[in-house]
Each structure stands twice: as structure tokens, then as C-alpha cells.
Amino acid sequence: MAAMSLRLTITPDQPANQGMVCTKSSTALCINPTLYNPTTITTSQARREALADVALRYALPIIEDDADAMLQAIRGESLARQALAAQHLAGHAMQAQPEGFHFWLPLASSWSVVEFASYLRTRGVAVVASAAFATDGDPPDAVRVCLGGPVTRDECDAALRLIADTLEHPQHPHATVMEREGARRCHGRFIGTA
């Protein structure tokens, strides 16, 4: 526990009888107001106001350990990003959990899994080929797409649009090299240098 390593004395609040121990040596008010671990008690609004009054009276900083609020925010963002994925990839057999940070995308296109993942990674999309997760040496034709990589929802939306566009209009990375090489050979024949 961090307080022990800092040699701080912790005096617990007594929410059952609405009493609170605050001494002259108190240096901070540490609270866990929402879904207190392990009891899951949530502090009432009146109690929160009383704690704020004490903190003001004694000039104590309030250290709020409200992990649930952060988890709720992350959950909400995950839901929004999964909804974007479902919207952009509606015609594909995407496998996902509504609050997940990633989804599994089986490939039924002409792309190889490695080419698809490599192509998108070169464009900044967090995609991993299924071989990275296979334990039997026989990975499925699928990729895992990370929704937590893009910082903003707009960046996530752009990445998902790129994935959908790549699936709908495949352009293999080696195809452009082959096209250029073919054009060079053809050009060489016309000017007589081949």
C-alpha cells in the first residue's frame, strides 16, 4: 500500500455513523466515493458535501480514488468505437464484444492475412495477423484489429474506413511493384533498350 511506503497514518472514515476522524496531523482526505472496494458502497451526495466541507475547513487536499468513473469512461469509448466498427464493416463477419478494445476480423477476400495486416500497419492501423495468436501452427484467415490505438474517435473512424475500403477494393502491396516493373519492361521494349 502506497500510504505505508510513505509512512502515512490512515484513519478510516466511519460512514455508518456519519462520523469522521480528522486531527491536526491530518495531511489529506483520501476517498473512494463510488463502488468502494470491496464493499461496493457508494457515498451519498450529502456525505460527499460533508467531506468537502471538512476538507475546506482543515485545508486538506482531496485525493479521490474513483476508478469506476474511469472504467465507465473507457467502457463508453469502447462502445462508441465498436459501434463505428460495426457500421463500417457491416458486410463482414466481424467478431467482437460491445465493450472490447479490439475485434477479430475473418478475411474472405483475396488478401493473404499477412499482406492485409502489413498493408494496414504501414498506414498506421493497428492490425495483427492471426499467426501471432495461433498455438497449433494452423492460424485461421483472420486479423485482430485494435480499437484503442487511435487517440481520438475521429482517428479510429478513419482507420475503420481504411479497413473497409481495403476489403472492398483490394490493392495488394506487391501488385503495385509488379505493375511498375511490367510498365518498365514494356517501355523498354518500345524504345529498344530491352
Side-chain angles (χ1 to χ4, degrees):
M1 183 173 210
M4 288 179 177
S5 67
L6 296 172
R7 296 186 177 153
L8 298 175
T9 303
I10 297 177
T11 308
D13 183 22
Q14 304 299 321
N17 63 13
Q18 299 299 305
M20 183 170 79
V21 178
C22 186
T23 66
K24 291 180 182 179
S25 64
S26 295
T27 57
L29 179 60
C30 298
I31 60 172
N32 185 318
T34 307
L35 296 174
Y36 177 78
N37 187 13
T39 63
T40 71
I41 293 172
T42 296
T43 306
S44 70
Q45 184 64 32
R47 182 69 177 153
R48 291 174 195 229
E49 290 172 7
L51 292 170
D53 286 343
V54 169
L56 285 171
R57 187 175 323 124
Y58 292 96
L60 298 173
I62 297 175
I63 301 169
E64 184 175 343
D65 181 12
D66 195 0
D68 187 62
M70 182 178 288
L71 289 174
Q72 293 296 333
I74 291 169
R75 188 173 291 131
E77 186 61 25
S78 293
L79 285 166
R81 290 178 183 219
Q82 285 286 356
L84 284 172
Q87 172 190 339
H88 291 302
L89 300 168
H92 302 280
M94 187 180 110
Q95 299 169 14
Q97 294 297 318
E99 296 173 352
F101 298 116
H102 61 270
F103 63 88
W104 192 247
L105 181 62
L107 295 180
S109 70
S110 60
W111 283 98
S112 82
V113 173
V114 173
E115 285 178 337
F116 184 79
S118 297
Y119 177 79
L120 288 169
R121 276 198 314 274
T122 64
R123 281 147 183 80
V125 181
V127 177
V128 179
S130 58
F133 308 101
T135 57
D136 62 0
D138 187 26
D141 290 335
V143 294
R144 187 190 75 168
V145 179
C146 176
L147 295 175
V151 176
T152 68
R153 198 175 298 168
D154 286 342
E155 290 172 354
C156 184
D157 184 65
L160 291 165
R161 286 176 189 272
L162 179 59
I163 292 169
D165 186 59
T166 303
L167 289 169
E168 296 301 317
H169 309 287
Q171 178 183 5
H172 302 280
H174 66 273
T176 55
V177 173
M178 290 171 52
E179 286 171 8
R180 276 190 238 140
E181 184 62 29
R184 192 176 312 130
R185 283 187 199 152
C186 185
H187 181 68
R189 274 191 230 133
F190 284 115
I191 60 172
T193 59

